[in-house]
């Protein structure tokens, strides 16, 4: 059993969801133009990931396993995440309007973000218990935020730079992402 | 969308080149980067996605009058997730090697924006036959893109193609690593742009994505917010 701190740090840095597992690339490329939106999206994803891990663990262990329906986990989890995002959106709107104002627009984007479904399935695949699952989800979310925040800085420079015409736009962004990813390769092997 | 008179061949062919999901509309980037360390994985992932895309397009097109508009996205996702579970079983049973190498990303076909995008933009508005052709076309376009990416990364990264050693003097391991994936995709899109002789996309093409309006709201809000 790996300690919680190791799980947290390795989900954040070594197995960074965006830069080494390629999850949530759409959000990574779509919402990293500005620091503000990167922070907002990162916070929203971290929050939903942690809650999704909390919600899917009991569903898997208390409902799916006793009924022998483990193979339904993809269907069950994506439904839970979709419902959950909807509920969080409604709850925040009523109960915590300032937080809703900050995160509201990002929430619907998260339902189809593969990082959220990915982290819940990874928790099951790694047979983490409830505590480890939540820590893993928080680590993954923080790693996602970190990648987004770093990249939003890089991207402002790239957009201002004079790149060859055929590389303008998406290609230059992807190559910049490649270089950021190289820097995260430095963390590999830290906890093995 | 108005029911434009389009030929069936057009529906099939448009997804392969003109509206290639990866190189032109920039959808489904996650699997494009993650599973393309080998050409064979790329083809496997592409065909699995094509299967789900064709089946879900058919099912959604048949169910389009029953599904209430307000809850259509959750309904689409459940239909898609069911077919993903099906293909997971099929691969596990018949091609276990592919099942192992695709791993988590097989389940993640559920949230591939190409599939939800086609369901929302096409299948929910067109007849079943056209929807199947549209799904097949987009799926084959996706497979083609994954095959191309997989070939480039396998040849440059490990000096092999479909596992056959090519005896290259130099190999660059970085291409099978995550960083190489981003780099290869960036260069391929740049080359495609050059060959297509058109302005490269400034933004990620949200056109097919059901969340497009949200993305634009965020970006617009940022522009109005100015620099701070």
């Amino acid at each position: 059993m790996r300690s919680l701190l190791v799980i947290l740090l390795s989900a954040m840095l070594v197995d960074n969801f965006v830069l080494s597992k390629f999850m949530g690339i759409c959000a990574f490329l779509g919402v990293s133009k500005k620091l503000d939106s990167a922070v907002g999206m990162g916070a929203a994803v971290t929050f939903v990931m942690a809650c999704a891990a909390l919600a899917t663990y009991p569903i898997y262990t208390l409902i799916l396993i006793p009924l022998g329906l483990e193979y339904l986990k993809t269907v069950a989890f994506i439904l839970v995440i979709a419902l959950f995002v909807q509920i969080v959106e409604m709850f925040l709107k009523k109960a915590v309007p300032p937080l809703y104002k900050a995160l509201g627009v990002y929430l619907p984007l998260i339902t189809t973000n593969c990082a959220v479904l990915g982290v819940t399935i990874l928790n099951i695949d790694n047979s983490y218990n409830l505590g480890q699952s939540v820590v893993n989800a928080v680590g993954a979310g923080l790693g996602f935020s970190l990648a987004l925040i770093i990249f939003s800085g890089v991207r402002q420079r790239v957009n201002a730079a004079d790149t060859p015409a055929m590389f303008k736009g998406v290609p230059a962004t992807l190559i910049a992402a490649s270089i950021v990813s190289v820097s995260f390769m430095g963390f590999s092997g830290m906890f093995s | 969308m108005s029911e434009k008179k389009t030929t069936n061949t057009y529906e099939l062919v448009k997804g392969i080149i003109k509206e290639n999901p990866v190189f032109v509309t920039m959808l489904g980037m996650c699997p494009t980067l993650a599973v393309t360390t080998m050409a064979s994985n790329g083809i496997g992932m592409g065909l699995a996605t094509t299967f789900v895309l064709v089946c879900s397009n058919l099912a959604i097109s048949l169910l389009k009058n029953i599904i209430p508009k307000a809850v259509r996205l959750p309904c689409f996702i459940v239909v898609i997730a069911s077919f993903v579970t099906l293909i997971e079983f099929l691969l596990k049973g018949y091609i276990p090697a592919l099942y192992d190498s695709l791993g988590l990303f097989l389940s993640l076909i559920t949230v591939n924006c190409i599939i939800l995008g086609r369901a929302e933009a096409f299948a929910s508005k067109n007849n079943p036959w056209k929807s199947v052709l549209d799904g097949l076309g987009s799926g084959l376009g996706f497979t083609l893109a994954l095959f191309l990416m997989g070939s480039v990364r396998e040849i440059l990264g490990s000096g092999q193609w479909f596992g056959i050693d090519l005896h290259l003097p130099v190999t660059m391991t970085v291409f099978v690593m995550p960083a190489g994936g981003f780099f290869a995709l960036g260069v391929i899109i740049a080359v495609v742009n050059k060959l297509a002789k058109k302005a490269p996309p400034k933004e990620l093409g949200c056109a097919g994505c059901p969340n497009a309006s949200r993305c634009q709201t965020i970006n617009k809000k940022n522009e109005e917010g100015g620099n701070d």
Side-chain angles (χ1 to χ4, degrees), chain A residues 19 21-23 25 29 33-34 36-37 71 74 78 106 108-109 112 114 121 166 168 171 174 178 181-182 185, chain B residues 30 33-34 77 85 88-89 104-105 110-111 116 177-179 182 186 190 200 203-204 211 214 218 222 226 228:
Chain A
L19 297 168
K21 282 199 176 131
F22 294 124
M23 288 182 202
I25 302 287
L29 296 175
K33 273 189 211 104
K34 274 279 197 94
D36 301 358
S37 48
Y71 62 88
T74 314
I78 190 72
Y106 304 104
L109 283 176
T112 49
C114 54
I121 295 177
M166 64 191 272
K168 277 220 167 69
L174 284 168
S178 150
S181 170
V182 169
M185 277 161 62
Chain B
C30 304
L33 290 162
I77 293 178
T85 310
E88 272 183 284
F89 272 129
L104 184 58
F105 276 90
T110 317
V111 277
L116 199 57
M177 290 173 160
F182 283 114
E203 305 291 330
L204 282 168
N211 284 321
R214 295 286 183 160
I218 295 172
N222 281 330
D228 46 24

Side-chain angles (χ1 to χ4, degrees), chain A residues 78-79 82-83 86 108 111-112, chain B residues 1 56 59-61 63-81 110 115-125 207-214:
Chain A
I78 190 72
L79 255 186
L83 281 176
Q86 202 88 60
T111 317
T112 49
Chain B
M1 189 167 69
S56 69
I60 287 164
S61 163
L63 294 171
K64 64 176 181 281
N65 295 327
I66 305 172
I67 297 175
K69 211 169 164 30
V71 291
R72 65 188 190 288
L73 288 183
C75 295
F76 293 169
I77 293 178
V78 173
V79 170
I80 296 165
T110 317
I115 302 180
L116 199 57
R118 291 327 293 169
E120 168 84 355
F122 198 91
S124 60
K125 290 164 189 145
C209 176
N211 284 321
S213 60
R214 295 286 183 160

Side-chain angles (χ1 to χ4, degrees), chain B residues 115-134:
Chain B
I115 302 180
L116 199 57
R118 291 327 293 169
E120 168 84 355
F122 198 91
S124 60
K125 290 164 189 145
N126 284 281
N127 67 39
W129 175 234
K130 275 194 176 164
S131 304
V132 167
L133 289 176
D134 175 77

Side-chain angles (χ1 to χ4, degrees), chain B residues 6 58 62 98 103-104 107 114 130 167 177 180 193 198 200 209:
Chain B
T6 47
L58 175 65
L62 290 171
L98 186 63
L104 184 58
S107 312
I114 299 173
K130 275 194 176 164
H167 301 288
M177 290 173 160
N193 285 334
K198 63 180 178 75
C209 176

Side-chain angles (χ1 to χ4, degrees), chain B residues 160-228:
Chain B
Q160 293 179 331
W161 198 44
F162 286 102
I164 302 162
D165 203 339
L166 296 176
H167 301 288
L168 293 183
V170 191
T171 58
M172 292 171 274
T173 318
V174 71
F175 273 99
V176 292
M177 290 173 160
F182 283 114
F183 187 80
L185 185 60
V187 173
I188 290 176
I189 291 176
V191 171
V192 168
N193 285 334
K194 187 81 183 169
L195 293 179
K197 289 203 178 85
K198 63 180 178 75
K202 284 260 159 32
E203 305 291 330
L204 282 168
C206 291
C209 176
N211 284 321
S213 60
R214 295 286 183 160
C215 263
Q216 281 152 9
T217 321
I218 295 172
N219 289 332
K220 200 181 255 172
K221 203 183 82 183
N222 281 330
E223 275 158 25
E224 284 163 3
N227 303 315
D228 46 24

